[in-house]
Amino acid sequence: MKRSSDTRLTPRRAGMIDRRSAIGISGAVLAICNFTPWTISPSRSEEQGVKTMNQYAANNKTIGEAVGGGGLLVVAQWEAKEGQADKVAAILDSFLPEAQKDPGAKLFLIGRNKDNPAQFLFYELFRDEAALKAHQESGYFKTYIAGQALPLLAKRERAQYALL
């Protein structure tokens, strides 16, 4: 009897990714890109202090609770202009606790690339399109992001996704 050499796994639904897989893939992408979603620090050195995002958690939701019921996922990548990365990090340090308290934000994480501290990654989950719009029209967004951070950026990319 001849054994089959075809060891491919067949997905449950071709072309579809479930929520658990999406979260796992996101974690893997963050790890591969060498981003640290759990911390943001004004500089690469430990001596100047690393602030953990847990300090700013508005609540104690699990990832599963946060993604429950779907939502609008926004992923953004920033790159600071030459010599501006620490200023951007300081602005984000003030912005992050406000963003995490936003009632329409189900999950809000910011990471800084460990190998290139001028690069930042945002992983934001909003209740819906209206919640994202309210976030962008908030006073803290206009002050920290539009008013202070955006002029310091060389690059800003954003994409929106609907959770499956």
Side-chain angles (χ1 to χ4, degrees):
M1 193 181 269
K2 185 176 178 183
R3 286 181 143 178
S4 172
S5 61
D6 187 5
T7 59
R8 290 178 289 162
L9 295 175
T10 306
R12 285 180 280 171
R13 291 179 277 163
M16 299 295 288
I17 297 176
D18 64 16
R19 190 174 301 142
R20 180 178 290 146
S21 297
I23 292 169
I25 290 168
S26 297
V29 168
L30 292 172
I32 291 167
C33 293
N34 205 15
F35 279 95
T36 55
W38 311 117
T39 63
I40 182 169
S41 75
S43 76
R44 294 179 72 182
S45 67
E46 291 286 328
E47 300 83 50
Q48 292 188 7
V50 174
K51 297 190 180 204
T52 65
M53 294 183 76
N54 290 334
Q55 289 175 284
Y56 302 126
N59 55 47
N60 293 323
K61 283 185 190 175
T62 65
I63 296 290
E65 290 168 337
V67 299
L72 178 65
L73 178 64
V74 178
V75 178
Q77 289 185 297
W78 286 7
E79 186 161 344
K81 291 178 182 174
E82 183 74 30
Q84 301 299 315
D86 287 342
K87 287 181 186 175
V88 171
I91 293 165
L92 294 175
D93 191 42
S94 297
F95 166 78
L96 183 59
E98 298 296 324
Q100 289 180 325
K101 288 189 281 186
D102 191 310
K106 297 171 78 174
L107 180 67
F108 207 104
L109 303 174
I110 302 173
R112 189 173 187 185
N113 190 311
K114 293 190 311 187
D115 290 332
N116 182 353
Q119 294 179 341
F120 299 87
L121 178 70
F122 294 71
Y123 195 78
E124 312 164 2
L125 179 59
F126 293 94
R127 186 180 57 245
D128 52 27
E129 190 81 36
L132 171 61
K133 184 174 177 150
H135 165 73
Q136 292 172 329
E137 293 175 356
S138 70
Y140 70 88
F141 183 90
K142 289 178 181 178
T143 297
Y144 295 119
I145 302 304
Q148 296 176 18
L150 293 183
L152 303 177
L153 301 182
K155 180 174 140 183
R156 178 185 185 210
E157 297 176 0
R158 293 180 294 171
Q160 296 181 13
Y161 303 87
L163 287 185
L164 301 176

